[in-house]
Amino acid sequence: MKTIDELLAEGVDGRRVFVRADLNVPLAEGRITDDGRIRAVLPTVKALAEAGAKVVVASHLGRPKGAPDPAFTLRPAAERLGELLDAPVAFAEDTVGPAARETVQGLRAGQVAVIENLRFNAGETSKDDAERGAFADELAALADVYVGDGFGAVHRKHASVYDLPARLPHYAGYLIAAEVTVLKKLTDEVARPYAVVLGGAKVSDKLAVIDRLLGKADRILIGGGMAFTFLKAKGYEVGTSLLQEDQLVTVTEYMERAEKSGVEIVLPVDALVTPQFPDLRTKAPANPDTVDADAMPADQAGMDIGPRSGELYAEKLADAATVFWNGPMGVFEHPDFAQGTRAVAQALTESKGFTVVGGGDSAAAVRTLGFDENAFGHISTGGGASLEYLEGKTLPGLAALED
């Protein structure tokens, strides 16, 4: 895989460089609530611009239906990119139409432009190779060189991720190069003890990675909504908590495999419960009760791991040489249910090992809860991509960058 450093050594002055970034930032009423993914691509964009490239940045945002939708415009991301670069960033109001062609044509050496949301064109996400290829052809006409730096999208077989690199000289940007280096430390070059923390809502989203980690990790800590399927598999009452009954057999098999292979699976010993889901808009007090994990009321739902669980998880992480964390421990968006996630994040900041926050809600939680990002070994920009890599899958966007 060639990297941006090799491209810069070849020279980019005056060349049109297409940067496939991941600017898929969360928005609230048109305002960016977390600009982490924009900041993550800054080193690549800055290096290219400073070397005299005409930089064309492209990304998706949200899930529009293959047609323009004002709710998913990339304009706020383009404006924020300009603020972070402290330089004007042109914005094209289409992807491959007249506005994009005119905007790119008007770039001078060292200038940056962002084209509109790639998913406004149905060809971006099409499962039809010909339709995707046709869109990739139009994108290729905007550039001379391709730089892949949208790690959060490399697990998608999309036109700008998979098909476009085949049409242009292609290189990995700084972000993707860094992400791959980190993931190799979690798969091929693991320092032990190796602890993995998995949370989030659904256990089904994590089954494949658990299956893979049963042969690699030394201990797996389970939290979030998915923990209640594990607790139910142990025969516990879980009340009205999130439960995937169709996964109980699989979860039971995994726990049996873990015991036989010497992998420790750590489950919550207590939980915070309420009769109903908290109001995330007003953040009104939820007045939760703390109960033992084996004594949950039948009419209440678990919303976070409890304080004793937080202490237990911190103990289990204290001696780890490698830690990977993906998924919050509870409904961290509400202050009454953020303590479990906070406890895990705090434990990672105090760890002497190599710590990786696996993107998605985990990365959002770190920022929302006010932690210093530099206190972690690495914060990934791609939760789904990280998990699929750990599952052992071939990621289309990475495969496309290989020579």
Side-chain angles (χ1 to χ4, degrees), residues 157-173:
K157 193 176 181 180
H158 291 170
S160 65
V161 175
Y162 179 75
D163 301 272
L164 183 55
R167 288 155 168 79
L168 295 170
H170 45 270
Y171 303 80

Side-chain angles (χ1 to χ4, degrees), residues 22-45:
D22 180 7
L23 308 181
N24 186 28
V25 292
L27 296 169
E29 298 179 352
R31 183 178 59 84
I32 296 172
T33 58
D34 181 357
D35 67 357
R37 286 178 171 170
I38 302 176
R39 288 185 284 110
V41 79
L42 276 180
T44 291
V45 174

Side-chain angles (χ1 to χ4, degrees), residues 213-398:
L213 289 169
L214 285 176
K216 290 185 176 292
D218 296 300
R219 61 188 73 123
I220 303 174
L221 287 59
I222 306 291
M226 62 183 283
F228 299 105
T229 300
F230 279 84
L231 293 172
K232 183 70 173 180
K234 287 176 66 71
Y236 294 173
E237 169 67 59
V238 296
T240 58
S241 304
L242 187 62
L243 172 65
Q244 290 186 282
E245 292 195 49
D246 60 332
Q247 303 297 339
L248 287 172
V249 172
T250 301
V251 164
T252 301
E253 291 174 351
Y254 281 6
M255 289 194 289
E256 292 172 351
R257 276 178 54 198
E259 186 174 1
K260 290 177 181 176
S261 60
V263 177
E264 183 182 11
I265 290 186
V266 184
L267 299 177
V269 293
D270 58 351
L272 299 184
V273 300
T274 62
Q276 59 188 18
F277 197 82
D279 189 329
L280 299 183
R281 185 178 57 84
T282 65
K283 305 290 196 300
N287 302 314
D289 291 322
T290 302
V291 299
D292 289 344
D294 60 355
M296 290 185 63
D299 62 347
Q300 300 207 37
M303 297 293 166
D304 191 14
I305 62 172
R308 287 194 297 118
S309 299
E311 293 173 2
L312 172 64
Y313 286 18
E315 291 173 7
K316 294 293 183 180
L317 296 172
D319 69 339
T322 305
V323 182
F324 174 74
W325 170 34
N326 182 281
M329 297 294 97
V331 187
F332 75 93
E333 298 91 341
H334 192 286
D336 287 352
F337 304 109
Q339 293 311 306
T341 301
R342 186 185 298 279
V344 168
Q346 184 65 40
L348 264 66
T349 66
E350 297 172 358
S351 171
K352 295 180 181 178
F354 179 61
T355 58
V356 179
V357 180
D361 286 341
S362 311
V366 163
R367 299 184 185 104
T368 299
L369 298 177
F371 285 91
D372 180 358
E373 295 180 42
N374 294 320
F376 302 88
H378 179 75
I379 299 180
S380 178
T381 57
S386 296
L387 287 177
E388 290 198 15
Y389 190 101
L390 293 183
E391 290 168 22
K393 291 183 177 180
T394 297
L395 306 188
L398 296 185

Side-chain angles (χ1 to χ4, degrees), residues 16 30 70 125 127 177 188 197 255 293 310 315 335 392:
R16 300 171 301 164
T125 60
K127 291 188 167 117
D188 304 331
V197 187
M255 289 194 289
E315 291 173 7

Side-chain angles (χ1 to χ4, degrees), residues 6-18 48-49 51-56 104 107-111 142-146 168-171:
E6 293 172 85
L7 172 59
L8 292 171
E10 294 170 10
V12 294
D13 189 26
R15 301 173 75 186
R16 300 171 301 164
V17 180
F18 188 103
L48 291 168
K54 301 174 180 179
V55 187
V56 182
V104 173
L107 287 176
R108 296 192 302 274
Q111 292 186 327
L142 299 175
D144 305 304
V145 182
Y146 177 92
L168 295 170
H170 45 270
Y171 303 80

Side-chain angles (χ1 to χ4, degrees), residues 56-128:
V56 182
V57 180
S59 176
H60 69 287
L61 192 152
R63 297 181 182 272
K65 306 294 186 181
D69 183 337
F72 297 105
T73 178
L74 273 176
R75 185 179 288 278
E79 292 173 352
R80 181 58 180 151
L81 179 62
E83 292 171 358
L84 293 169
L85 289 171
D86 194 22
V89 169
F91 180 70
E93 295 184 348
D94 58 29
T95 54
V96 291
R101 291 194 296 270
E102 182 178 342
T103 299
V104 173
Q105 188 175 3
L107 287 176
R108 296 192 302 274
Q111 292 186 327
V112 179
V114 173
I115 62 175
E116 186 55 283
N117 192 335
L118 291 164
R119 291 185 183 174
F120 284 2
N121 189 301
E124 169 68 1
T125 60
S126 176
K127 291 188 167 117
D128 181 82

